[in-house]
Amino acid sequence: MSCLCNASKTYTKQAGPHLGEYCTACDTWIRWIPQPLDKYVWPLGSKHKGQLILAIAKNDRPYLEWAASSITNPKLKLKAQEALDYVDQSTNM
Ligand SMILES: [Zn+2]
């Protein structure tokens, strides 16, 4: 991906829970980069906001189970389910 200014160099920067790609020449935001599950930071809730999703899956599984079934945001719902599956797989090994 390149910028509207036609510069081809980009850099990445953490912006809150998101990892963004930006143009090196004009500092324009280009896109959000999907984050791997082990770096994903949960963006919601007074209790868990800002924590790594895998840490929540280990420390407060009921919360994430609730999120995976009841939350309205489909992307977060999926992430919650992914994190639960991931923790299950790593503990069953
Ligand atoms: Zn640019």
Side-chain angles (χ1 to χ4, degrees), residues 11-22 29 31-36 39:
Y11 70 99
T12 57
K13 180 169 74 178
Q14 191 76 31
H18 303 286
L19 186 65
E21 184 176 4
Y22 298 82
W29 170 84
R31 63 173 182 140
W32 297 121
I33 296 171
Q35 301 205 60
K39 299 242 175 72

Side-chain angles (χ1 to χ4, degrees), residues 3-7 23-28:
C3 180
L4 291 173
C5 76
N6 281 327
C23 174
T24 307
C26 69
D27 210 33
T28 297

Side-chain angles (χ1 to χ4, degrees), residues 4 7 11 13 21 24-25 29 31-32 39 42 50-51 55 57 59-61 68 71 75 84 86 88 91:
L4 291 173
Y11 70 99
K13 180 169 74 178
E21 184 176 4
T24 307
W29 170 84
R31 63 173 182 140
W32 297 121
K39 299 242 175 72
W42 189 251
Q51 292 182 30
N59 301 332
D60 191 358
R61 190 186 173 91
I71 219 165
K75 267 192 192 164
L84 291 170
Y86 181 92
D88 286 348
T91 50

